[in-house]
Amino acid sequence: MKQEVNELIDPSKFRDRIDIKGIEKSLLVDMLRKMVLIRKAEEKLSEHVESGKIKCPCHLGIGQEAIGVAVSLVMRKSDRAFGAHRSHSHFLALNENTYSLFAEVLGKYDGCSHGMGGSMHIVDNDNGFKGSVPIVGATIPIATGAGLAAKMDKAGDISISYFGDGACEEGVLHESLNMASIMNLPVLYVCENNLFASHLHIDLRQPSNSTSRFAKAHHINYNTVDGNDVVGMYKLLKSEVESMRSSNTPYYLEAFTYRWKGHVGHRDDIDVGVKRGAQLDSWKKRDPIKRLADSLIYEGVLTESEYQYLNHEIQNKINSDWEKAELASFPENEFLITQVYS
Amino acid sequence: MKKTTTYAAGILEAYEYLLTNHPDFFIIGQGLWSPWYVGATMTDLDKKFGKDRVIDCPVSELATTGATVGASICGYRPMIVHPRVDFMLLAVDQIVTQAAKWRHMFGGNSTAPATFRAIINRGGEQGAQHSQSLHSWFAHIPGLKVVMPYTAKDARDLMISSVLSNDPVVFLDDRWLYEKEEEYTEIEILDLNEVLPQKLRNGDDITVVGISYTSLLCEKACEHLENTQGIKSDFFDLRVLNPLKLENIIQSVNKTGRLLVVDGDWSSCGIASEIIASIVERVDLLALKSSPKRITLPDSPAPTSKALEQLYYIKEEQIIETIIDLVK
Ligand SMILES: Cc1ncc(C[n+]2csc(CCOP(=O)(O)OP(=O)(O)O)c2C)c(N)n1
Ligand SMILES: [Mg+2]
């Protein structure tokens, strides 16, 4: 069922408890745990961007946690996902490795890119996260090529391309969608439409606020969904990805959401760009975590105190991973030169 | 006290001058209505001159750069602004294969006098994809002028002359110079074809050439060496990388017999190599007292880790040591 775009972008809609019918309890708790972990990890990063301990640019996705989590739960380790500048959630949803992320952001050798990449260039090959980069749109054709490789492998793997509404303004999106469509490539295009590209609202950049028109133009199956409903996205993707695997077809998911922080860094930036100041509070009421937690508690999957304990445990892990990352060592000087060529 | 200005204020003043005096001038680029992207170089231009001439745009480097070329062919003097050189690379075809060729391949019947401004915005643990300069790449292209100002006066006057030039120009300014302060002078309208490397210090011991930010490092190093060791340098700020005009630097090397070029980019096929090769070809070899030398970045992408970032960028001390070594 396609949800209406004008409702999806209206923060007064979709505030209710999430419908969890038909999903096993353990999976629901898994979803909640992953989202809480991502939220708290990014809050920790925000705190230390502010404290000055983190120097590299950090694009936080607080408020957008559900999308990466839903996708991660339909992925297998041999799938190949690619992200962009706002990809902490995509990475953590797959590996929950906050130590690796924290160390990377601090430029330490233990980080996922050994301190060479910082927040904007993260990778975890073992768990199917093939890399994220901050050149807008750059990984869309790369993910398309990963889809081509998956098709050639004939093992039913897929690739995943995460990008934002702003990236749809780069010509390469159109070239990639056309290619994936005509060549039948198993690429899952995931557009996280948070209505902004840095300071500009989509109304000032595109004639429509839904990007799935591009999928339609290239005859790619698509859906527009509430990006803050992890269960809804999971259900949809589970069946769509199954058919992608068996028939080598691309699919385009447009998930409407909102970032709670400014484009980069720890501030809210409510004074930047049209509409943001007025809408941020309202979007916070469509919180993907609270909506799921409320459901689980209401339906008796989890008690209030179990939920508190889960939060508490995750916070402890994050605090200790952060402390450990602060103490970790920097890469050796030679590393600057030894990694240029293989 | 004398009135002062800064590099960023110089660029802002150039925009105000161009928008006021040249109705055919307009600017397009990402972030032009935002306080973040372009530092203090474009503050409130949209409010003063209108959003029709100071145009913020979708995340579409290729189309906006191509549109700038198109409008320039049709009688306007437009400028595209890319908040980082790295982003401009999505539009290289329009700059290198279209605009730079437009006059010559149509036998002089048309031209594309667009200005491609990109900001060198490095450091700050931003890493490999947000720190490139690549000016030598662009300086490789016949038909494409390449301008890199160092002083606040040049940031302003060379930006004006880039826009008024009848050819396409890549104009690169460096964020690390934005706060550079100097005495204010009135606007001087320069013909870009006449702009030569500018000699900023006089001396007989060595010729030193800097480009944009490295000129700041060179100037400080030369001053330090003169004050502490009496080593006197002929120091030149290059200003225009293409077409390259080196006559005054060649004269200087004939006098000093020593040459150091400092370029904040990679060495291989870079502007420092080009300068040294062009000078060695034309200088009196018997006048050379030591082999010419260049200081450039290590041959690696920029790291993010602060431990390695500290190693990566050129420092004043490196220049001081090299000069001492050369004049020994
Ligand atoms: C090619 C390129 N152009 C411009 C930028 C600057 N930039 C970084 S993120 C961004 C906005 C991207 O918006 P969107 O794709 O919607 O992602 P979001 O930030 O909303 O997650 C821009 C313009 C860039 N990094 N790369
Ligand atoms: Mg966006």
Short mmCIF file of all heavy atoms in Angstrom, two decimals, chain B residues 159-195:
data_model
loop_
_atom_site.label_atom_id
_atom_site.label_comp_id
_atom_site.label_asym_id
_atom_site.label_seq_id
_atom_site.Cartn_x
_atom_site.Cartn_y
_atom_site.Cartn_z
N MET B 159 39.82 38.79 -8.64
CA MET B 159 38.48 38.26 -8.88
C MET B 159 37.75 39.14 -9.88
O MET B 159 37.12 38.66 -10.83
CB MET B 159 37.67 38.14 -7.59
CG MET B 159 36.24 37.69 -7.91
SD MET B 159 35.23 37.34 -6.50
CE MET B 159 35.74 35.69 -6.12
N ILE B 160 37.87 40.45 -9.71
CA ILE B 160 37.22 41.36 -10.67
C ILE B 160 37.79 41.13 -12.06
O ILE B 160 37.05 40.98 -13.05
CB ILE B 160 37.39 42.83 -10.22
CG1 ILE B 160 36.63 43.06 -8.90
CG2 ILE B 160 36.91 43.79 -11.30
CD1 ILE B 160 36.87 44.42 -8.25
N SER B 161 39.12 41.05 -12.16
CA SER B 161 39.70 40.90 -13.50
C SER B 161 39.40 39.51 -14.09
O SER B 161 39.32 39.36 -15.30
CB SER B 161 41.20 41.19 -13.50
OG SER B 161 41.85 40.35 -12.61
N SER B 162 39.20 38.52 -13.25
CA SER B 162 38.81 37.19 -13.76
C SER B 162 37.42 37.25 -14.40
O SER B 162 37.19 36.70 -15.47
CB SER B 162 38.79 36.16 -12.63
OG SER B 162 40.08 35.97 -12.11
N VAL B 163 36.51 37.92 -13.72
CA VAL B 163 35.15 38.03 -14.25
C VAL B 163 35.15 38.87 -15.54
O VAL B 163 34.44 38.55 -16.50
CB VAL B 163 34.20 38.63 -13.19
CG1 VAL B 163 32.86 38.99 -13.80
CG2 VAL B 163 34.04 37.65 -12.03
N LEU B 164 35.96 39.91 -15.57
CA LEU B 164 35.98 40.79 -16.75
C LEU B 164 36.83 40.22 -17.89
O LEU B 164 36.77 40.71 -19.01
CB LEU B 164 36.49 42.19 -16.36
CG LEU B 164 35.66 42.90 -15.28
CD1 LEU B 164 36.20 44.31 -15.04
CD2 LEU B 164 34.18 42.97 -15.66
N SER B 165 37.60 39.19 -17.61
CA SER B 165 38.42 38.57 -18.66
C SER B 165 37.52 37.96 -19.74
O SER B 165 36.46 37.41 -19.43
CB SER B 165 39.30 37.49 -18.04
OG SER B 165 39.75 36.61 -19.03
N ASN B 166 37.96 38.03 -20.97
CA ASN B 166 37.14 37.47 -22.06
C ASN B 166 37.29 35.96 -22.21
O ASN B 166 36.78 35.38 -23.15
CB ASN B 166 37.48 38.16 -23.37
CG ASN B 166 36.95 39.59 -23.39
OD1 ASN B 166 35.89 39.86 -22.82
ND2 ASN B 166 37.68 40.51 -23.98
N ASP B 167 37.99 35.34 -21.29
CA ASP B 167 38.21 33.90 -21.35
C ASP B 167 37.64 33.22 -20.10
O ASP B 167 37.46 33.88 -19.08
CB ASP B 167 39.71 33.61 -21.42
CG ASP B 167 40.34 34.21 -22.67
OD1 ASP B 167 39.85 33.89 -23.77
OD2 ASP B 167 41.28 35.01 -22.54
N PRO B 168 37.43 31.91 -20.18
CA PRO B 168 37.04 31.20 -18.96
C PRO B 168 38.20 31.18 -17.95
O PRO B 168 39.35 31.04 -18.35
CB PRO B 168 36.72 29.79 -19.43
CG PRO B 168 37.37 29.65 -20.77
CD PRO B 168 37.48 31.03 -21.36
N VAL B 169 37.86 31.34 -16.68
CA VAL B 169 38.88 31.41 -15.63
C VAL B 169 38.49 30.49 -14.48
O VAL B 169 37.34 30.52 -14.01
CB VAL B 169 39.00 32.85 -15.08
CG1 VAL B 169 40.05 32.91 -13.97
CG2 VAL B 169 39.34 33.85 -16.17
N VAL B 170 39.43 29.70 -14.01
CA VAL B 170 39.27 29.00 -12.74
C VAL B 170 39.90 29.88 -11.67
O VAL B 170 41.09 30.22 -11.75
CB VAL B 170 39.94 27.61 -12.76
CG1 VAL B 170 40.02 27.03 -11.35
CG2 VAL B 170 39.17 26.66 -13.68
N PHE B 171 39.11 30.29 -10.69
CA PHE B 171 39.58 31.17 -9.63
C PHE B 171 39.51 30.38 -8.32
O PHE B 171 38.43 29.96 -7.90
CB PHE B 171 38.68 32.41 -9.56
CG PHE B 171 39.05 33.40 -8.48
CD1 PHE B 171 39.84 34.51 -8.78
CD2 PHE B 171 38.60 33.25 -7.17
CE1 PHE B 171 40.18 35.43 -7.79
CE2 PHE B 171 38.94 34.15 -6.18
CZ PHE B 171 39.73 35.26 -6.49
N LEU B 172 40.66 30.16 -7.70
CA LEU B 172 40.69 29.35 -6.48
C LEU B 172 41.13 30.20 -5.29
O LEU B 172 42.23 30.76 -5.30
CB LEU B 172 41.68 28.18 -6.65
CG LEU B 172 41.43 27.24 -7.83
CD1 LEU B 172 42.55 26.21 -7.94
CD2 LEU B 172 40.10 26.52 -7.68
N ASP B 173 40.29 30.32 -4.31
CA ASP B 173 40.69 31.02 -3.08
C ASP B 173 40.81 29.99 -1.95
O ASP B 173 40.24 28.92 -2.01
CB ASP B 173 39.72 32.15 -2.72
CG ASP B 173 38.26 31.74 -2.75
OD1 ASP B 173 37.76 31.34 -3.81
OD2 ASP B 173 37.59 31.83 -1.69
N ASP B 174 41.59 30.35 -0.94
CA ASP B 174 41.93 29.40 0.11
C ASP B 174 41.39 29.86 1.45
O ASP B 174 41.70 30.96 1.91
CB ASP B 174 43.46 29.23 0.18
CG ASP B 174 43.85 28.03 1.04
OD1 ASP B 174 43.26 27.84 2.13
OD2 ASP B 174 44.75 27.29 0.62
N ARG B 175 40.58 29.00 2.06
CA ARG B 175 39.98 29.34 3.37
C ARG B 175 41.01 29.70 4.42
O ARG B 175 40.72 30.47 5.33
CB ARG B 175 39.19 28.14 3.89
CG ARG B 175 37.82 28.09 3.36
CD ARG B 175 36.83 28.08 4.52
NE ARG B 175 35.49 28.01 3.98
CZ ARG B 175 34.40 28.19 4.70
NH1 ARG B 175 34.48 28.44 5.99
NH2 ARG B 175 33.22 28.12 4.17
N TRP B 176 42.19 29.10 4.32
CA TRP B 176 43.21 29.38 5.32
C TRP B 176 43.75 30.80 5.20
O TRP B 176 44.53 31.23 6.05
CB TRP B 176 44.36 28.36 5.20
CG TRP B 176 44.02 27.04 5.81
CD1 TRP B 176 42.92 26.72 6.53
CD2 TRP B 176 44.81 25.85 5.76
NE1 TRP B 176 42.97 25.40 6.93
CE2 TRP B 176 44.12 24.85 6.47
CE3 TRP B 176 46.04 25.52 5.18
CZ2 TRP B 176 44.60 23.55 6.62
CZ3 TRP B 176 46.53 24.22 5.33
CH2 TRP B 176 45.81 23.25 6.04
N LEU B 177 43.35 31.52 4.17
CA LEU B 177 43.80 32.91 4.03
C LEU B 177 42.71 33.92 4.41
O LEU B 177 42.95 35.12 4.42
CB LEU B 177 44.25 33.17 2.59
CG LEU B 177 45.55 32.49 2.15
CD1 LEU B 177 45.73 32.59 0.64
CD2 LEU B 177 46.74 33.11 2.87
N TYR B 178 41.50 33.44 4.69
CA TYR B 178 40.36 34.35 4.82
C TYR B 178 40.58 35.45 5.86
O TYR B 178 40.10 36.55 5.73
CB TYR B 178 39.07 33.59 5.13
CG TYR B 178 38.42 33.00 3.90
CD1 TYR B 178 39.09 32.94 2.68
CD2 TYR B 178 37.12 32.50 3.94
CE1 TYR B 178 38.50 32.39 1.54
CE2 TYR B 178 36.52 31.95 2.81
CZ TYR B 178 37.22 31.89 1.62
OH TYR B 178 36.62 31.35 0.51
N GLU B 179 41.29 35.13 6.92
CA GLU B 179 41.47 36.13 7.99
C GLU B 179 42.72 36.98 7.79
O GLU B 179 42.99 37.87 8.60
CB GLU B 179 41.54 35.46 9.35
CG GLU B 179 40.17 35.33 10.02
CD GLU B 179 39.59 33.94 9.85
OE1 GLU B 179 40.19 32.99 10.38
OE2 GLU B 179 38.56 33.81 9.18
N LYS B 180 43.46 36.72 6.74
CA LYS B 180 44.71 37.47 6.51
C LYS B 180 44.39 38.96 6.39
O LYS B 180 43.58 39.38 5.57
CB LYS B 180 45.37 36.98 5.22
CG LYS B 180 46.69 37.65 4.94
CD LYS B 180 47.25 37.19 3.60
CE LYS B 180 48.58 37.83 3.29
NZ LYS B 180 48.57 39.29 3.26
N GLU B 181 45.08 39.72 7.22
CA GLU B 181 44.76 41.14 7.31
C GLU B 181 45.84 41.97 6.64
O GLU B 181 47.02 41.66 6.74
CB GLU B 181 44.65 41.53 8.78
CG GLU B 181 43.74 42.72 8.98
CD GLU B 181 43.45 42.98 10.46
OE1 GLU B 181 43.50 42.04 11.25
OE2 GLU B 181 43.19 44.16 10.77
N GLU B 182 45.46 43.02 5.97
CA GLU B 182 46.45 43.95 5.41
C GLU B 182 45.84 45.34 5.25
O GLU B 182 44.62 45.51 5.41
CB GLU B 182 47.01 43.43 4.08
CG GLU B 182 45.99 43.33 2.98
CD GLU B 182 46.46 42.50 1.79
OE1 GLU B 182 47.00 41.40 1.98
OE2 GLU B 182 46.25 42.96 0.65
N GLU B 183 46.68 46.28 4.92
CA GLU B 183 46.22 47.66 4.77
C GLU B 183 45.27 47.77 3.58
O GLU B 183 45.49 47.16 2.54
CB GLU B 183 47.44 48.56 4.54
CG GLU B 183 47.14 50.03 4.67
CD GLU B 183 48.39 50.86 4.37
OE1 GLU B 183 49.47 50.48 4.91
OE2 GLU B 183 48.29 51.82 3.62
N TYR B 184 44.22 48.56 3.75
CA TYR B 184 43.24 48.70 2.67
C TYR B 184 43.75 49.60 1.56
O TYR B 184 44.36 50.64 1.82
CB TYR B 184 41.93 49.28 3.23
CG TYR B 184 40.88 49.43 2.15
CD1 TYR B 184 40.09 48.34 1.78
CD2 TYR B 184 40.71 50.64 1.47
CE1 TYR B 184 39.15 48.46 0.78
CE2 TYR B 184 39.77 50.75 0.45
CZ TYR B 184 38.99 49.65 0.11
OH TYR B 184 38.07 49.76 -0.90
N THR B 185 43.53 49.19 0.32
CA THR B 185 43.82 50.07 -0.83
C THR B 185 42.57 50.16 -1.68
O THR B 185 41.67 49.30 -1.56
CB THR B 185 44.95 49.49 -1.69
OG1 THR B 185 44.55 48.18 -2.10
CG2 THR B 185 46.27 49.43 -0.96
N GLU B 186 42.50 51.17 -2.54
CA GLU B 186 41.33 51.30 -3.41
C GLU B 186 41.36 50.20 -4.48
O GLU B 186 42.43 49.67 -4.83
CB GLU B 186 41.33 52.68 -4.09
CG GLU B 186 41.10 53.85 -3.15
CD GLU B 186 39.76 53.77 -2.40
OE1 GLU B 186 38.76 53.35 -3.01
OE2 GLU B 186 39.75 54.10 -1.20
N ILE B 187 40.21 49.91 -5.05
CA ILE B 187 40.12 48.91 -6.12
C ILE B 187 40.96 49.35 -7.32
O ILE B 187 40.93 50.51 -7.72
CB ILE B 187 38.65 48.72 -6.56
CG1 ILE B 187 37.87 48.00 -5.46
CG2 ILE B 187 38.55 47.96 -7.89
CD1 ILE B 187 36.41 47.75 -5.76
N GLU B 188 41.71 48.40 -7.88
CA GLU B 188 42.48 48.67 -9.08
C GLU B 188 41.98 47.69 -10.15
O GLU B 188 42.00 46.48 -9.93
CB GLU B 188 43.97 48.43 -8.77
CG GLU B 188 44.90 48.85 -9.87
CD GLU B 188 46.36 48.49 -9.55
OE1 GLU B 188 46.66 48.04 -8.41
OE2 GLU B 188 47.19 48.64 -10.44
N ILE B 189 41.53 48.24 -11.26
CA ILE B 189 41.02 47.36 -12.32
C ILE B 189 42.20 46.90 -13.17
O ILE B 189 42.84 47.69 -13.85
CB ILE B 189 39.97 48.09 -13.19
CG1 ILE B 189 38.81 48.58 -12.32
CG2 ILE B 189 39.46 47.17 -14.31
CD1 ILE B 189 38.03 47.48 -11.62
N LEU B 190 42.47 45.59 -13.10
CA LEU B 190 43.63 45.02 -13.79
C LEU B 190 43.18 44.22 -15.00
O LEU B 190 42.11 43.61 -14.98
CB LEU B 190 44.39 44.08 -12.84
CG LEU B 190 44.89 44.67 -11.53
CD1 LEU B 190 45.35 43.56 -10.59
CD2 LEU B 190 46.03 45.65 -11.80
N ASP B 191 44.02 44.22 -16.04
CA ASP B 191 43.78 43.33 -17.17
C ASP B 191 44.48 42.02 -16.84
O ASP B 191 45.70 41.98 -16.68
CB ASP B 191 44.36 43.97 -18.43
CG ASP B 191 44.24 43.05 -19.64
OD1 ASP B 191 43.83 41.88 -19.48
OD2 ASP B 191 44.58 43.50 -20.75
N LEU B 192 43.72 40.95 -16.75
CA LEU B 192 44.30 39.68 -16.31
C LEU B 192 45.49 39.26 -17.19
O LEU B 192 46.43 38.63 -16.72
CB LEU B 192 43.22 38.60 -16.29
CG LEU B 192 43.53 37.30 -15.55
CD1 LEU B 192 44.00 37.55 -14.13
CD2 LEU B 192 42.32 36.38 -15.56
N ASN B 193 45.43 39.63 -18.47
CA ASN B 193 46.54 39.27 -19.37
C ASN B 193 47.85 39.92 -18.97
O ASN B 193 48.92 39.47 -19.37
CB ASN B 193 46.21 39.67 -20.81
CG ASN B 193 45.08 38.83 -21.38
OD1 ASN B 193 44.98 37.65 -21.07
ND2 ASN B 193 44.21 39.46 -22.17
N GLU B 194 47.77 41.00 -18.21
CA GLU B 194 48.98 41.75 -17.84
C GLU B 194 49.48 41.38 -16.44
O GLU B 194 50.48 41.93 -15.98
CB GLU B 194 48.69 43.27 -17.86
CG GLU B 194 48.05 43.78 -19.15
CD GLU B 194 48.99 43.63 -20.33
OE1 GLU B 194 50.21 43.77 -20.12
OE2 GLU B 194 48.49 43.34 -21.44
N VAL B 195 48.78 40.51 -15.77
CA VAL B 195 49.15 40.24 -14.37
C VAL B 195 50.33 39.26 -14.32
O VAL B 195 50.27 38.17 -14.88
CB VAL B 195 47.94 39.66 -13.59
CG1 VAL B 195 48.35 39.24 -12.18
CG2 VAL B 195 46.82 40.70 -13.52
#
